[in-house]
Amino acid sequence: MTLSERQNHILALLDKAAGNLTSTELTQAFGVSVQTIRKDLNELSNLGLVQRVHGGITRPRQNRNLSFTNRQVINLEAKQAIARAVAARLPEGASIFLGNGTTPQQVAQALLDHPGLQVITNNLDAALTLCQNPNIETLLAGGRIRPSDQDLMGEDTTRFMRRFQVNFGIFGIGGLSAKGELIDFSPEESHLTRAIIDCSDQRILVTDSSKYLRSAPVRTGHLSEIDLFITEMLPEPVQALLAATDAEVVCASPQQQEPVK
């Protein structure tokens, strides 16, 4: 299932609200009937993206990530725009890490016409996509397959990634805390991302706005360790966090890609 434009906007409003949203607020915001909003909220609730409360919705409490299938449909156009912005910055002959998650998966799609790269990844979908481009050498890490996330994880995976020193490390995160911390949902995800950060000449964080000010239990790093931050939307709290770093920021949208800093 693909989320509608209105459903993506509902999730964005919920993130900005940092609490509950009522059905009345949503009907007024979109100028539609209560029945229409109720249908949207029921679908979002069934996907696990929101939690129904009396009179409205809130974000579900999470100590684990949403399913891979659900994450694939959230902000898909934004992730595709982010991916195009990444692909445009990778020179021919570069070596890259491509981490786990749905945004790195979209980066792989955007690289289908790239003239040549070496890619090291634990992302099964990304590897299957990249093998369609004969100009890209893809090295797939070994380890334990996570069917729910379509990737490989564990000590063997992290050890394999740490054997390399690459030009660009491209990765996503489970969430970005209000303190600028990069957070993940499991220690093994955190170890893998940490390996990418430690073993890359330039660190590129790719994340859409659904990850902003989100909670997850494992601390992986901090925004201050990032060289390039690519996203599709920058609310004021995130701009303030980035202003305290030396990271270059690119805000990419389906319509345009405009450098912010």
Side-chain angles (χ1 to χ4, degrees):
M1 173 185 172
T2 301
L3 299 186
S4 69
E5 182 178 356
R6 185 171 59 243
Q7 288 171 330
N8 274 312
H9 285 169
I10 289 172
L11 294 177
L13 287 173
L14 185 57
D15 287 334
K16 290 180 182 179
N20 296 356
L21 275 178
T22 68
S23 299
T24 300
E25 288 173 325
L26 291 170
T27 56
Q28 292 174 349
F30 294 101
V32 296
S33 67
V34 173
Q35 290 78 10
T36 297
I37 287 297
R38 185 178 296 122
K39 181 176 181 294
D40 283 332
L41 299 188
N42 285 339
E43 290 179 356
L44 291 172
S45 177
N46 290 338
L47 288 170
L49 303 179
V50 303
Q51 180 178 337
R52 297 300 301 269
V53 295
H54 181 70
I57 54 170
T58 189
R59 275 291 193 187
R61 295 179 180 177
Q62 296 173 346
N63 58 8
R64 61 181 182 178
N65 208 352
L66 298 170
S67 74
F68 189 83
T69 302
N70 287 355
R71 283 181 281 137
Q72 282 181 308
V73 302
I74 298 175
N75 280 357
L76 178 58
E77 290 186 356
K79 293 174 182 178
Q80 291 170 335
I82 292 167
R84 290 193 295 270
V86 174
R89 285 178 167 252
L90 299 178
E92 183 177 357
S95 59
I96 71 170
F97 284 131
L98 197 54
N100 52 287
T102 55
T103 306
Q105 178 192 37
Q106 290 301 321
V107 172
Q109 289 286 342
L111 293 174
L112 282 176
D113 295 323
H114 198 281
L117 292 169
Q118 181 186 60
V119 181
I120 300 99
T121 187
N122 70 313
N123 191 319
L124 289 171
D125 276 321
L128 289 171
T129 297
L130 293 171
C131 70
Q132 300 174 55
N133 184 341
N135 298 315
I136 294 180
E137 177 189 11
T138 304
L139 304 177
L140 180 63
R144 177 178 59 83
I145 293 177
R146 297 195 302 175
S148 60
D149 293 89
Q150 299 179 24
D151 60 21
L152 296 113
M153 281 289 173
E155 291 183 10
D156 289 339
T157 311
T158 302
R159 190 179 301 115
F160 178 84
M161 301 291 269
R162 284 194 174 275
R163 291 171 57 189
F164 299 88
Q165 181 70 30
V166 305
N167 302 128
F168 302 94
I170 302 161
F171 63 96
I173 50 172
L176 176 65
S177 79
K179 297 179 180 179
E181 296 169 321
L182 313 179
I183 49 181
D184 284 296
F185 285 92
S186 74
E188 58 185 5
E189 289 176 339
S190 178
H191 293 326
L192 191 286
T193 299
R194 191 69 243 174
I196 293 176
I197 292 172
D198 292 342
C199 301
S200 301
D201 298 334
Q202 185 175 88
R203 304 159 185 89
I204 303 176
L205 175 59
V206 291
T207 182
D208 69 285
S209 56
S210 69
K211 306 295 180 66
Y212 294 163
L213 309 183
R214 187 184 186 194
S215 62
V218 185
R219 288 180 293 184
T220 297
H222 193 271
L223 273 179
S224 59
E225 299 178 87
I226 302 306
D227 299 299
L228 176 59
F229 183 94
I230 303 183
T231 188
E232 96 287 6
M233 183 176 70
L234 283 171
E236 288 186 7
V238 179
Q239 289 187 42
L241 290 172
L242 287 162
T245 75
D246 293 325
E248 178 185 358
V249 181
V250 171
C251 193
S253 75
Q255 290 77 34
Q256 61 183 4
Q257 297 171 10
E258 178 182 353
V260 176
K261 174 183 173 184

